[in-house]
Amino acid sequence: VRAELDQAAAVFEVYHERRPNTYIPLVALGDIATRQGELEAAARWYRKGNLAQPEMVTPLIRLAENAARRGDYDGAEVALEEAELVALALRQQAVVAEMRSRLASLTGSPNDAVDHLEHQFSLLVQNGETFDAWIDQLRATQLYANAGRLDDVRRFLEEIQVEFQPPIDFIPSIGYMLLALFEGDLEAAEVHCDRLEQGLIDLNRPDMLHMTSLTRGLIERDRGHLEEAGTFLGKATEQLDSSIQQALTDGSVDRETILIETAKTALVRERPEEALEAADEIRLSWPHHPEANLLAARAEAALGDVAAARKSLDRARTGWANAEAGFALLAQAEALTTQLEAEAPR
């Protein structure tokens, strides 16, 4: 991947030389720097993109995410507020709402995350992009589950089922598959996963097959088939990274999800080295990712590196400083902190 990133950077540098007044190559160079873990360089590229076209939202959205990656949540909020000032079109407002949802989910506010997502969906519908709104809402099933709002998912699936006709009648399987998985109905999850996979193959959409591999990994983990789960999760990563553009842009959230589940599975298999490797792959480009740091802390504690585990826990708790009451992952971080303190030599 590194060689492909370098090649892509060379292409976008030429693009920038030829069209210096457009933000597109500058944001792309920032995305490449982000993937390589060069966050300060990425911030400079995004700011240049903003200066090239200050009326565009995308560079500001990237600046907000970049600040969050560095643990600067106040800076992320400043960039989002700046983005809201220039987001005159409904599509631009939807992009801002999507980033607000993502950051709320990351920092332990699942209900806020869903509220921002629903605002995004309403903006897309107002803009005549109803189909895109439906797809995004199907893929957001996990956010609804985190907020304890699966009844909303059920109602939504009932409402839209008739809207999807052949050859895309399989698309609601995204939501049904995830809903069954969260409810523990592994057989139903597998049936919907099979249907989704075949539909994607028939439509020649290999760029989305990582979703089914990820789901198969989670199904096998819940069945206790840990080796098979690891194989499917590894396949999901390979499928996502096979498209460099997908890996850099739309696939970044999916990639983090796959790596999070890979780390969890490795911990269940009592393979802390593998768990730490997966967590560190996230932390390369997102050092302050709270859940990645919690998983890293669990792995580091298992490996006996208590000092590193404490540092990772500090980063996780900082990210969840304003989490909603009862947020489960923060409770896990606090419990592990208490455990390490109790085990510390007196």
Side-chain angles (χ1 to χ4, degrees):
V1 173
R2 179 79 192 200
E4 291 178 331
L5 289 172
D6 289 341
Q7 291 173 3
V11 170
F12 283 114
E13 285 170 0
V14 172
Y15 184 174
H16 173 54
E17 289 174 3
R18 293 178 178 176
R19 298 191 63 184
N21 296 322
T22 181
Y23 77 90
I24 295 174
L26 296 165
V27 166
L29 288 165
D31 291 344
I32 292 168
T34 296
R35 182 65 188 273
Q36 294 173 328
E38 299 168 0
L39 297 182
E40 296 295 338
R44 290 193 292 272
W45 284 120
Y46 296 145
R47 181 54 70 184
K48 287 179 180 178
N50 173 239
L51 293 173
Q53 289 186 278
E55 75 281 6
M56 302 304 295
V57 164
T58 300
L60 292 166
I61 292 296
R62 292 294 205 279
L63 280 168
E65 182 182 295
N66 178 274
R69 287 176 182 272
R70 292 182 285 110
D72 181 7
Y73 297 104
D74 289 339
E77 178 60 28
V78 169
L80 284 173
E81 289 176 356
E82 193 175 347
E84 286 173 339
L85 291 175
V86 302
L88 302 179
L90 291 171
R91 160 53 75 172
Q92 292 180 323
Q93 294 171 30
V95 170
V96 176
E98 181 181 19
M99 180 53 66
R100 283 202 176 279
S101 175
R102 185 180 178 194
L103 293 182
S105 176
L106 184 82
T107 55
S109 298
N111 283 292
D112 285 347
V114 169
D115 289 344
H116 288 304
L117 262 186
E118 292 190 332
H119 181 50
Q120 174 201 346
F121 301 151
S122 71
L123 289 166
L124 289 174
V125 171
Q126 290 177 56
N127 200 41
E129 300 178 67
T130 303
F131 184 82
D132 289 344
W134 286 339
I135 298 297
D136 287 345
Q137 196 159 359
L138 285 169
R139 295 187 56 149
T141 298
Q142 182 169 351
L143 290 184
Y144 281 90
N146 293 343
R149 293 167 60 174
L150 286 180
D151 284 344
D152 291 346
V153 176
R154 295 186 190 93
R155 282 193 294 270
F156 170 65
L157 287 169
E158 291 173 2
E159 290 171 1
I160 68 165
Q161 182 66 57
V162 297
E163 304 292 343
F164 288 87
Q165 301 298 320
I168 59 170
D169 54 323
F170 67 91
I171 287 179
S173 293
I174 297 171
Y176 284 114
M177 173 183 74
L178 296 174
L179 180 62
L181 187 63
F182 293 127
E183 293 181 325
D185 190 344
L186 302 184
E187 287 72 21
E190 192 165 38
V191 168
H192 290 298
C193 189
D194 289 343
R195 188 177 185 217
L196 175 61
E197 184 174 69
Q198 188 58 56
L200 292 172
I201 291 171
D202 290 345
L203 276 186
N204 193 27
R205 290 301 303 270
D207 56 304
M208 295 181 69
L209 285 174
H210 61 278
M211 294 173 56
T212 58
S213 295
L214 168 61
T215 303
R216 293 191 192 284
L218 300 182
I219 291 171
E220 294 305 323
R221 187 175 70 195
D222 287 352
R223 285 173 171 163
H225 303 160
L226 300 181
E227 185 172 349
E228 291 88 342
T231 299
F232 277 119
L233 291 169
K235 182 179 180 181
T237 303
E238 292 173 2
Q239 288 170 324
L240 188 59
D241 283 349
S242 65
S243 167
I244 193 67
Q245 185 63 25
Q246 173 80 350
L248 282 173
T249 55
D250 297 336
S252 62
V253 179
D254 291 341
R255 188 169 181 274
E256 289 155 21
T257 301
I258 293 168
L259 290 169
I260 288 289
E261 299 302 336
T262 299
K264 289 179 182 177
T265 302
L267 287 169
V268 174
R269 298 175 75 183
E270 299 183 353
R271 296 183 177 182
E273 296 91 346
E274 292 181 11
L276 186 58
E277 182 180 356
D280 280 345
E281 194 167 343
I282 296 174
R283 297 197 298 177
L284 171 65
S285 60
W286 198 311
H288 289 267
H289 192 289
E291 189 170 6
N293 274 291
L294 172 58
L295 292 168
R298 289 175 58 190
E300 289 157 347
L303 292 168
D305 193 344
V306 175
R310 286 175 172 164
K311 182 178 179 181
S312 296
L313 284 169
D314 285 344
R315 284 185 168 183
R317 292 201 310 272
T318 298
W320 291 322
N322 297 310
E324 293 175 4
F327 183 61
L329 292 178
L330 177 57
Q332 292 177 27
E334 298 290 2
L336 181 54
T337 300
T338 301
Q339 176 186 330
L340 292 179
E341 290 174 350
E343 295 173 354
R346 301 293 179 183

